[in-house]
Amino acid sequence: MTILDEKSISELRQLIDGAQNVVVLCHRSPDGDAIGSSLAWKRYLEQKGKDVTVIIPDAFPDFLMWLPGTQEIVRYDKHKEKADLLLRISDLIFCLDLNTLSRLGDDLAAAVEKTKAPKVLIDHHLNPDVPAALTVSRPTMCSTAVMVFHVIDELGDYDVIDCKTATCIYCGMMTDTGAFTFNSNTPEVFHVIARLIEKGIDKDRIYRNVNWVFSVSRMRLWGHVLSSFRVSDDKRSSYFTISKSDMKKYAYIKGDAEGLVNMPLQIRGMKLSISLREDTEKENLVWVSLRSVDDFPCNKMAAQYFNGGGHHNASGGHLDCSLAEAEEITKRAIKEFKY
């Protein structure tokens, strides 16, 4: 599989060759794919002699802290002045795992829009609208991390990929597919995994580093949610809520709910699972995650009811209302949605 034509390869080479100070950006509330793809691309560019900084809008989950290069990430919400300076002096900006600048958050998006540096988009979400000198958009691919692998390979630099770069790529692929349980049913995905194993990754350890790191409080939060989630009358859909009081009670930290929305899908016949989580700071803001199996298009439901979108079996959105109101919208969506 190739994702770049000869013209795009030439343009990308020219952009990289002509730059020295490079910034790599990913979306707010970054997940494993956002962090993994960004760190892999950073390491690759550094091996090409570039000065590279990954800037993220806010915190990422603790279970990703072990990835090589996380200590050098600059958080915009913590180090705004430093990040603004890095953006001003940059001569090339890569936007990874985001299809629109609004996903950076208002402040970081505004700072990026002010820059004169050319931008390159590498992303697997639908409807890309980042004003970029080069757009590499492949919504059918399982993750941005796998796109990074292909881009490096198609630039003729497979040999440049070392074990640390491969580890970041695999982590991004694994986390964005639920350990290869959705959006990953193609031979191409497993061909890439084989080539990453050739680089020396320990895929079993990567899985454990991400998934077998629960704290006692996180385990108890999951127990609380799984003891109280709601199931539709036909047993095909379910949803659960995580309130601010729940998060306080169970000492919630970022990432503690990661993967929880997949759990109800283990029930026989379950097609759809929805998570409703109150924002930790803003009032009347509820974050929505949707996961589905087989032919259920949760991205269409996300767009119709939750101001969101995404992939066929993995999507997200938000509601500007109370948690109780979000529940009512969710119940209506489950009842009314036709596919």
Side-chain angles (χ1 to χ4, degrees), residues 141-152:
M141 304 205 80
C142 74
S143 61
T144 298
V146 78
M147 292 182 66
V148 165
F149 173 87
H150 282 295
V151 170
I152 296 172

Side-chain angles (χ1 to χ4, degrees), residues 122-143:
I122 303 176
D123 178 55
H124 73 132
H125 296 94
L126 294 168
N127 306 316
D129 68 357
V130 174
L134 177 63
T135 295
V136 185
S137 173
R138 297 293 181 273
T140 59
M141 304 205 80
C142 74
S143 61

